[in-house]
Amino acid sequence: MAVQEEIEQKSFNIMISTTKLSARTVLRAVKAAFRLYQSKASQGKQSVRTLLRQNRGVSSVEISKTGIRGLERYAKKYGIDYAIRKDTSEVPPRYLVFFKAPDVEAFNAAFKEYSVSLLSKTKRPSVLAKLHKLVQAAAELPGKVHRKEQERGL
């Protein structure tokens, strides 16, 4: 019986040690997944609270509602973390963009590209205006009207 008890004791010890080992492994995996989630979650658009929790310098700039989408594209391109806050205390609400860039040059480059894109949009004539000009030009043409008639083949 002593041999049987010794075998049971050793198998019981092996079960306990493997359970501890697997628990440690699972705990390490959960910690690694949590760190990965935190690193991915704190990039790009986020809440102001999350942005401030990162303990780095946060700056803000005011933009119009129509410019938010364009700014988001350039912020992603340059890896800028940002948060958008709507200030409803004024009648046309203001939109404040809080940002945290890896360095000042990245933010300057992103904002410069964003500004250039806004200026180029304002300089371009609208498609609707071009269409109205073409309609007026077509109406001023002499009375030649070309009509296509389908022929039916039997």
Side-chain angles (χ1 to χ4, degrees):
M1 286 251 199
V3 174
Q4 181 69 23
E5 286 178 11
E6 189 177 327
I7 292 173
E8 287 177 1
Q9 185 66 30
K10 285 184 179 181
S11 63
F12 185 71
N13 286 342
I14 290 173
M15 285 176 35
I16 289 175
S17 63
T18 56
T19 304
K20 285 181 182 178
L21 179 64
S22 64
R24 283 187 204 132
T25 307
V26 168
L27 187 63
R28 283 187 194 139
V30 168
K31 283 182 180 179
F34 185 68
R35 274 184 266 133
L36 182 66
Y37 172 75
Q38 279 186 329
S39 68
K40 293 288 183 190
S42 65
Q43 292 178 349
K45 187 175 181 179
Q46 51 197 271
S47 69
V48 176
R49 180 179 289 169
T50 307
L51 194 65
L52 292 175
R53 240 188 255 153
Q54 295 175 2
N55 292 333
R56 287 196 260 170
V58 175
S59 304
S60 69
V61 75
E62 183 178 337
I63 63 169
S64 66
K65 167 104 173 120
T66 57
I68 291 174
R69 273 304 214 204
L71 184 64
E72 286 179 347
R73 182 170 35 148
Y74 293 108
K76 278 183 187 176
K77 181 178 177 182
Y78 285 93
I80 297 172
D81 298 338
Y82 62 96
I84 299 173
R85 170 64 51 85
K86 182 178 180 180
D87 183 15
T88 56
S89 64
E90 297 179 11
V91 173
R94 298 181 330 159
Y95 290 89
L96 296 171
V97 177
F98 294 92
F99 60 90
K100 178 184 55 75
D103 55 2
V104 176
E105 285 79 25
F107 177 73
N108 287 340
F111 208 72
K112 184 177 180 180
E113 275 191 47
Y114 169 67
S115 300
V116 167
S117 71
L118 281 181
L119 288 175
S120 67
K121 280 183 183 178
T122 58
K123 289 180 181 178
R124 283 186 282 179
S126 72
V127 175
L128 197 56
K130 284 182 181 179
L131 184 62
H132 285 302
K133 286 181 183 178
L134 288 174
V135 167
Q136 287 175 353
E140 293 172 0
L141 287 176
K144 293 182 181 178
V145 177
H146 297 283
R147 294 186 181 158
K148 281 188 173 181
E149 295 181 14
Q150 275 188 335
E151 294 182 20
R152 292 186 180 178
L154 296 173

